[in-house]
């Protein structure tokens, strides 16, 4: 089975930095898009950043200049580098993989991580 395992969440002071990582494991042949969503308490989930297999990226306007997404395709791992963190960045962050092909299958699938809490507070 394919699983996405996240790490790096926690409590950070305003202005601090934090890097999240997410590794996809299983019988994976390829992954088209990897990225991150976040869901603040009581609010809807929103796309934070994504990166394609060719390196194309999209970043949420409110975090541009502060967050950077990167990817190690050989390890099926995506990272979210967060700098100058603000209290409004507090949310559960979810890793996702979109357009995943599995060994021996012509179809594509999507997968989600379990979510990791990021709290920005003094």
């Amino acid at each position: 089975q394919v699983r996405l395992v996240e790490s790096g969440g926690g409590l950070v002071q305003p202005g601090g930095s934090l890097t999240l990582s997410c590794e996809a494991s299983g019988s994976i042949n390829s992954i088209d898009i990897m990225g991150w969503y976040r869901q603040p308490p009581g609010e809807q989930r929103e796309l934070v950043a994504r990166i394609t297999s060719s390196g194309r990226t999209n970043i949420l306007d409110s975090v541009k200049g502060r967050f950077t997404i990167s990817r190690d395709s050989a390890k099926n791992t995506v990272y979210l580098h967060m700098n100058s963190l603000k209290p409004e960045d507090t949310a559960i962050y979810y890793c996702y993989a979109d357009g995943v092909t599995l060994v021996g299958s012509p179809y594509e699938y999507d997968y989600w991580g379990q979510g990791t809490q990021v709290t920005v507070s003094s």
Side-chain angles (χ1 to χ4, degrees), residues 30-96:
S30 64
I31 302 174
D32 184 13
I33 301 171
M34 299 189 76
W36 298 87
Y37 280 77
R38 69 182 183 185
Q39 186 170 19
E43 300 183 19
Q44 295 185 351
R45 192 173 300 185
E46 64 181 350
L47 178 66
V48 178
R50 63 183 179 184
I51 182 169
T52 70
S53 59
S54 63
R56 184 187 298 270
T57 62
N58 295 95
I59 307 293
L60 182 67
D61 285 343
S62 62
V63 304
K64 283 184 178 178
R66 300 189 296 117
F67 289 13
T68 301
I69 189 169
S70 64
R71 176 176 178 173
D72 186 341
S73 294
K75 298 180 179 180
N76 289 323
T77 300
V78 64
Y79 305 91
L80 185 66
H81 311 276
M82 303 183 292
N83 301 310
S84 302
L85 284 162
K86 304 175 180 180
E88 51 263 43
D89 294 320
T90 296
I92 301 175
Y93 284 71
Y94 296 90
C95 172
Y96 79 97

Side-chain angles (χ1 to χ4, degrees), residues 5-26:
V5 180
E6 299 158 308
S7 62
L11 176 63
V12 187
Q13 295 183 1
S17 299
L18 195 65
T19 296
L20 306 181
S21 64
C22 172
E23 181 179 3
S25 61

